[in-house]
Amino acid sequence: MCTRIFNSQNKALPVTGRNMDWYWQLSSSLYAFPRGLKRQGVDQTYADVNRFRENGIEIFEWTSIYSSIVTVLEYPSSKVSYAAADGMNEKGLVANALYDGETVFPDETTSSKPRLSILRLVQYLLDTCTSVEKSIEAIESKQYLLIAEEMPDSSAVPPVMHICLSDVSGDSAIVEFRGEKVCIYHSHEYRVATNEPSYDGQLILNEYWRFQTGLSEIKNPMPSIMAAPGGASAVQRFERASYYLNFSLPEEEDYLAVAQTRSIMGMCSQPISFDMRMMSRETTDAKPRTSRTIWTNLADHEGLKYYVANSQTMNAFYLEIDAIGTETKRVFIMEDSSVHHTARNNTASGNVADQLEPSNDPFGKTLVIRS
C-alpha cells in the first residue's frame, strides 16, 4: 500500500513525496546516473530464460539524454535483478511506480514490437523526457510493447503498477495500463494517488474532499472543519492525503516545502510491525501480513534535491542533481529482510554525495556476441 502526494501548494516550490510500503525491507540503493548511458528495456537474464533471441524478440533500447537520481530495487539472486521505483531527472521531472492490482499487460503473442519491462519504464521516462507532457507522448508513442517481469525481491510477485508523473511546472498525471488500452489522467489537480481503486474512482474521492474543504465549484455551506478519517486502506490513505494537503498553507522556503510534504506523508504511512489483521499473533510464523512504510522519498523539483527517509533508522539523506558526474554511482539504502532476522540499513544522514561509490549500470545494454 503506497501513497504519492504532489505538494504544489506553493506553485513555485513543488515537491513530490512517495511512501514505499511493502511486507518487508526491499534491497535498494540510490543511484546517480549521468547522461549518455546505453540502456535496454528488459533484464538480460529474463530475456535469456524466455528465449528472446531464439524467438526473434527484440529488446527496446535507448540512450539516456538526461541525468537522474533514482531509487533502484536490486536483488541479484532473483529471476529479475533490478527495478526503477522512483526518481527525478535534471529537468525536474519525477516518476513514481505504485502498486495497481488492476494492471493488465498487452498480449505478447500478437506483437513484434521491441519489449520494455514495466520495471524499467520509470528509468526510460527519466532518461528521455523533460516534462509530464513529454512523458505522456513517450508512453503513447507505441514504440515498444510493455511487458511484466517479476519483482526483484524474494516474493517474486507480478509487477502490477501504475505510474505517477509530476514536474517543475506543477503538471501531474497518473497512467494506468489495461491491456491494449492506456488510461491517462492528466491535470495539475491530480495531486494524490494511492493503490486502489482505479484512478477514476480515486477522482470521486478527490472531488468529495475538494467539496468538504471548499475547493470545488459546488461550495459546501457547512464549516469545513472535519475529523480526518483513520484506517489503513488505500481509500482511507487517499482521504487523509487529500484532507491534509487541501488544508495546508503554501510554504515560502524550499526546505519548509520539503518538510511540509514529509509531514503529510507521515499521516499516510503504515507503522513498522503493523498487522491490522493480527494474523501473525496466531501463528509461529513471524513474517508480517500487512505492508508497512519502509521508506519515504521526496523530490524537490525546483531545487533538484532528492531525499530518502529510512523508516527503520529515522534518518533522512539526500543527493543533488549537481552531484552527478560522468559515471554511474550509488549509495546503499537497505537490504531485503524477508528471510533474515536482521537487515542492514543505511544510517547516514544529510548530503551523501561523498558516499557515492562507482557502480555498474543496472539497466545497461548487454552486448551479446552473435554466432
Side-chain angles (χ1 to χ4, degrees):
M1 296 293 185
C2 302
T3 304
R4 173 267 202 176
I5 296 173
F6 182 38
N7 180 5
S8 57
Q9 296 295 77
N10 183 337
K11 293 178 172 54
L13 299 173
V15 178
T16 295
R18 182 263 175 80
N19 285 341
M20 170 62 85
D21 295 359
W22 201 246
Y23 298 98
W24 47 73
Q25 291 186 177
L26 292 169
S27 294
S28 51
S29 290
L30 191 62
Y31 276 77
F33 291 124
R35 309 175 197 133
L37 297 175
K38 296 185 181 300
R39 278 7 216 292
Q40 67 177 46
V42 176
D43 184 277
Q44 190 61 48
T45 300
Y46 178 89
D48 293 342
V49 169
N50 288 275
R51 301 176 179 272
F52 273 35
R53 182 182 176 188
E54 293 89 329
N55 295 325
I57 299 174
E58 295 183 8
I59 298 175
F60 185 66
E61 298 178 354
W62 71 93
T63 300
S64 64
I65 303 172
Y66 308 107
S67 59
S68 60
I69 298 173
V70 180
T71 303
V72 176
L73 309 183
E74 46 185 8
Y75 199 76
S77 63
S78 66
K79 293 179 181 178
V80 175
S81 299
Y82 302 99
D86 304 90
M88 176 176 65
N89 71 12
E90 63 180 275
K91 297 299 182 180
L93 172 68
V94 172
N96 311 93
L98 277 67
Y99 180 87
D100 175 16
E102 297 183 42
T103 299
V104 177
F105 291 93
D107 183 359
E108 290 191 54
T109 63
T110 61
S111 177
S112 60
K113 294 178 183 177
R115 278 24 175 192
L116 172 61
S117 166
I118 196 169
L119 300 181
R120 302 188 176 203
L121 179 58
V122 162
Q123 191 62 60
Y124 169 62
L125 297 174
L126 295 175
D127 282 348
T128 61
C129 301
T130 59
S131 64
V132 170
E133 189 73 46
K134 293 297 183 183
S135 299
I136 291 173
E137 290 177 10
I139 291 170
E140 293 182 323
S141 67
K142 300 182 180 179
Q143 299 179 75
Y144 52 80
L145 185 74
L146 199 66
I147 65 169
E149 292 180 327
E150 293 177 352
M151 285 285 290
D153 76 329
S154 52
S155 68
V157 299
V160 287
M161 59 186 69
H162 54 201
I163 304 297
C164 298
L165 300 163
S166 48
D167 65 28
V168 69
S169 76
D171 203 3
S172 175
I174 291 82
V175 182
E176 298 174 339
F177 304 98
R178 302 292 184 260
E180 303 298 329
K181 182 180 180 181
V182 179
C183 300
I184 298 175
Y185 302 88
H186 183 195
S187 170
H188 285 62
E189 299 298 326
Y190 299 163
R191 302 189 297 166
V192 176
T194 53
N195 306 114
E196 54 191 30
S198 58
Y199 206 69
D200 54 356
Q202 293 186 44
L203 289 180
I204 295 173
L205 294 172
N206 186 58
E207 188 56 30
Y208 168 80
W209 282 102
R210 284 176 57 81
F211 171 75
Q212 296 293 1
T213 53
L215 298 177
S216 67
E217 293 182 4
I218 303 173
K219 299 302 179 183
N220 187 349
M222 303 298 291
S224 58
I225 299 175
M226 301 181 59
S233 71
V235 168
Q236 290 164 315
R237 284 183 289 105
F238 186 102
E239 290 177 329
R240 284 201 301 282
S242 295
Y243 177 87
Y244 283 100
L245 182 61
N246 288 336
F247 274 126
S248 296
L249 299 174
E251 292 291 351
E252 299 301 323
E253 301 289 342
D254 54 358
Y255 73 95
L256 289 176
V258 172
Q260 179 186 57
T261 307
R262 185 182 181 185
S263 65
I264 300 174
M265 299 307 302
M267 300 304 300
C268 306
S269 66
Q270 307 276 49
I272 293 174
S273 298
F274 178 70
D275 187 6
M276 61 184 173
R277 295 180 179 86
M278 300 182 70
M279 294 176 63
S280 298
R281 304 186 187 189
E282 302 171 3
T283 157
T284 57
D285 185 359
K287 291 182 179 179
R289 305 300 176 89
T290 306
S291 62
R292 80 267 193 168
T293 301
I294 58 176
W295 76 67
T296 299
N297 54 49
L298 302 149
D300 176 356
H301 296 260
E302 183 65 33
L304 295 178
K305 291 183 180 180
Y306 185 92
Y307 300 79
V308 176
N310 188 328
S311 299
Q312 189 156 308
T313 65
M314 295 179 64
N315 286 355
F317 56 93
Y318 70 90
L319 281 175
E320 299 179 79
I321 290 290
D322 288 346
I324 300 175
T326 58
E327 61 178 327
T328 298
K329 294 185 177 182
R330 68 170 184 165
V331 62
F332 168 76
I333 298 176
M334 63 176 60
E335 278 184 338
D336 185 294
S337 63
S338 63
V339 178
H340 307 291
H341 294 292
T342 59
R344 290 196 301 130
N345 276 274
N346 192 322
T347 57
S349 61
N351 191 339
V352 293
D354 60 349
Q355 298 181 43
L356 289 170
E357 298 181 351
S359 171
N360 292 328
D361 179 6
F363 308 118
K365 179 180 176 181
T366 302
L367 297 179
V368 178
I369 300 175
R370 304 291 184 182
S371 57

